[in-house]
Amino acid sequence: MIELDQVSKRFNEGQPNEVLALRDVNLQLPLGEISVLEGPSGSGKTTLLTLIGCVARPSEGRIRLGGELVSNLPELHLAELRRRRFGIVFQRFNLIAGLSALDNVMLPAYPLGLPHRRLVERAREVMAQLSVGHRAEARVELLSGGEMQRVAIARALINDPEVLIADEPTANLDGRLAGQFLEIVAALKAQGRTLVIASHDPRIIEAPTVDRVVRMADGAVQGVRRC
Ligand SMILES: Nc1ncnc2c1ncn2[C@@H]1O[C@H](COP(=O)(O)OP(=O)(O)O)[C@@H](O)[C@H]1O
Ligand SMILES: [Mg+2]
């Protein structure tokens, strides 16, 4: 279970431009399921994903992952936890132009210190599973939208994470690619992974493979719908 207990997040704390981006969020997301955070722009979806993914820490409240308290870990431990247990597909994918698809996929694995040859093998394997292995040597800026999406997912999976986080993954994709994304997500769930996806795309929210929709507004959870 991913558990959030009275979690709040402030930006620019104590300054005139302080923002309360999340307020008193209580939430339980079972491992092995697909949860979608739904809500208008500015409702706090991305902020909540960064807290769940251990990219940032809450200003108040506690977060537990599989019973372990993660919200008060020192930065070094948090970074380690993030690398080993979470994969993140960023909004607009955040691929690094000028590098090959393969190099992009390998990036999050460098700090783990695998032998280079083993790392290349692993990256090629994950890319092949996502049907983008044939594009390994291509520079990412030359890939199609669907290929970029798969490379971004491969990069998120390189360290074999338990939890995959995706932020508005279909925002810029046509219907066919959104469908492909959902197929990939269903396959990852079948492997036992947990998925947390921020989206206001009805193609995602209404997908049969989704287990739970968390409705957000103005930094607060309005309700949770089991699907
Ligand atoms: N780094 C930041 N600094 C200041 N304010 C931020 C920052 N990130 C997000 N916010 C604010 O927090 C609120 C929630 O933003 P966000 O989590 O990005 O919402 P969503 O992903 O649902 O669009 C918004 O008011 C946004 O402007
Ligand atoms: Mg967002």
Side-chain angles (χ1 to χ4, degrees), residues 99-165:
L99 294 185
S100 70
L102 184 69
D103 284 332
N104 267 274
V105 170
M106 293 194 300
L107 273 178
Y110 283 117
L112 300 187
L114 278 180
H116 188 73
R117 183 187 299 176
R118 177 71 201 100
L119 176 54
V120 172
E121 256 171 43
R122 162 88 191 139
R124 288 192 184 277
E125 192 182 297
V126 178
M127 292 181 82
Q129 282 164 12
L130 290 165
S131 312
V132 78
H134 61 296
R135 301 296 272 149
E137 323 301 338
R139 285 167 50 162
V140 281
E141 66 270 32
L142 302 178
L143 301 178
S144 72
E147 288 168 344
M148 284 185 193
Q149 177 194 54
R150 283 153 186 269
V151 169
I153 296 170
R155 185 176 62 179
L157 293 174
I158 187 72
N159 293 337
D160 196 21
E162 297 159 49
V163 184
L164 187 84
I165 287 175

Side-chain angles (χ1 to χ4, degrees), residues 59-223:
S59 306
E60 284 137 44
R62 290 159 189 271
I63 302 177
R64 287 189 178 77
L65 174 62
E68 183 191 355
L69 190 64
V70 297
S71 47
N72 63 353
L73 289 176
E75 179 49 38
L76 259 171
H77 286 199
L78 203 67
E80 172 78 6
L81 188 86
R82 173 168 73 234
R83 272 198 290 275
R84 292 194 180 273
R85 301 181 72 176
F86 294 92
I88 304 182
V89 180
F90 296 95
Q91 199 164 1
R92 302 171 179 282
F93 307 142
N94 283 10
L95 295 171
I96 304 197
L99 294 185
S100 70
L102 184 69
D103 284 332
N104 267 274
V105 170
M106 293 194 300
L107 273 178
Y110 283 117
L112 300 187
L114 278 180
H116 188 73
R117 183 187 299 176
R118 177 71 201 100
L119 176 54
V120 172
E121 256 171 43
R122 162 88 191 139
R124 288 192 184 277
E125 192 182 297
V126 178
M127 292 181 82
Q129 282 164 12
L130 290 165
S131 312
V132 78
H134 61 296
R135 301 296 272 149
E137 323 301 338
R139 285 167 50 162
V140 281
E141 66 270 32
L142 302 178
L143 301 178
S144 72
E147 288 168 344
M148 284 185 193
Q149 177 194 54
R150 283 153 186 269
V151 169
I153 296 170
R155 185 176 62 179
L157 293 174
I158 187 72
N159 293 337
D160 196 21
E162 297 159 49
V163 184
L164 187 84
I165 287 175
D167 197 359
E168 311 262 5
T170 57
N172 306 302
L173 299 181
D174 65 27
R176 188 177 55 90
L177 291 178
Q180 286 180 7
F181 175 79
L182 282 164
E183 282 171 27
I184 293 170
V185 155
L188 294 172
K189 175 177 155 180
Q191 293 169 3
R193 294 187 218 268
T194 307
L195 292 104
V196 187
I197 303 168
S199 183
H200 48 236
D201 182 345
R203 296 172 299 192
I204 300 275
I205 294 163
E206 287 154 23
T209 184
V210 167
D211 296 294
R212 174 178 302 87
V213 177
V214 177
R215 202 157 33 82
M216 300 192 62
D218 201 21
V221 171
Q222 303 288 301

Side-chain angles (χ1 to χ4, degrees), residues 15-52:
Q15 290 164 39
N17 58 350
E18 181 173 301
V19 179
L20 183 56
L22 289 175
R23 56 188 86 214
D24 300 330
V25 171
N26 293 302
L27 198 55
Q28 303 202 322
L29 307 177
L31 298 176
E33 296 196 352
I34 302 180
S35 300
V36 173
L37 310 180
E38 168 196 23
S41 181
S43 58
K45 303 182 296 297
T46 296
T47 304
L48 188 50
L49 287 183
T50 65
L51 298 186
I52 290 172

